[in-house]
Amino acid sequence: MLSENIKILRKARGLSQQELAERLHVVRQTVSKWEQGLSVPDADLLVRLAECLEVSVEELLGDSKPESTAPLEPQAVLADKLSALTGQLAEQNHRRRRFWKWVAIAAGVCGLLLLPQLVLTLLILGYSLPAHNSNSIGIIGGADGPTAIFVTAGFPWGLLFAMLGCVALVILGIIMCRRPD
């Protein structure tokens, strides 16, 4: 709501993010974060932003006028709206952290499920020595006589890469869960 209004009003005034940032004495990335809904301006900046965009703070926040006939103090209205925006932002950050937490948990479970298979594959194939060649020809009996079977067992790269992918997702999930806002 606020993010969309900032972007629409800025473009309607023909201002770039950089120009608006210079007028407000902030960096362009701050304006970009406001427009993406990743942060909200504080009370002082909100008032200056409304002045730069030539609208009232209430119009900038996108709320309709209160139904009460008694006028509210502007600071009280501003505080209420900033409180609501801050709550929305906190909820959005909480959902994002919860998502990355579950990504990390799911990747960890997948990695743990793949680990025994990787270890058993390496043990069965005898990969204790890297130069070991496990290609062999086995002979089994059949109804028509002996049958030669050529068995080749290469290093289980796919399994190893799947494990490394799980580890990478766990690390990414932990980083994203613990990253400060």
Side-chain angles (χ1 to χ4, degrees):
M1 168 152 87
L2 173 65
S3 58
E4 296 165 359
N5 289 345
I6 293 172
K7 188 174 187 176
I8 291 168
L9 292 169
R10 175 184 60 80
K11 288 184 176 183
R13 302 297 182 271
L15 296 172
S16 67
Q17 286 182 344
Q18 183 66 38
E19 291 168 336
L20 182 59
E22 288 172 1
R23 289 184 184 188
L24 296 172
H25 305 291
V26 296
V27 295
R28 185 201 57 78
Q29 288 82 356
T30 302
V31 176
S32 175
K33 284 184 179 181
W34 294 342
E35 290 184 358
Q36 293 175 20
L38 299 176
S39 68
V40 294
D42 63 23
D44 292 334
L45 275 174
L46 194 60
V47 172
R48 289 190 351 223
L49 180 61
E51 289 172 1
C52 284
L53 296 174
E54 302 169 6
V55 295
S56 69
V57 173
E58 193 167 84
E59 289 172 346
L60 184 61
L61 292 173
D63 285 344
S64 59
K65 303 243 184 244
E67 295 177 13
S68 169
T69 56
L72 292 176
E73 197 171 308
Q75 290 85 2
V77 171
L78 185 60
D80 289 342
K81 292 180 181 181
L82 283 176
S83 174
L85 286 172
T86 304
Q88 290 172 357
L89 185 62
E91 177 62 28
Q92 182 183 27
N93 287 337
H94 177 71
R95 281 193 306 262
R96 187 178 299 126
R97 283 196 173 127
R98 192 172 47 211
F99 168 78
W100 283 108
K101 176 183 174 183
W102 284 108
V103 165
I105 290 170
V109 167
C110 290
L112 288 175
L113 292 174
L114 289 174
L115 185 61
Q117 185 177 0
L118 180 65
V119 170
L120 284 175
T121 302
L122 292 176
L123 287 175
I124 289 171
L125 296 175
Y127 273 102
S128 59
L129 299 173
H132 178 65
N133 185 1
S134 62
N135 295 338
S136 63
I137 296 179
I139 308 272
I140 62 170
D144 300 344
T147 303
I149 299 176
F150 180 69
V151 178
T152 181
F155 190 80
W157 290 107
L159 199 53
L160 182 66
F161 286 138
M163 283 289 301
L164 291 176
C166 289
V167 170
L169 279 175
V170 167
I171 291 170
L172 179 66
I174 291 170
I175 290 170
M176 294 302 287
C177 281
R178 304 216 183 268
R179 189 178 71 165
D181 293 330

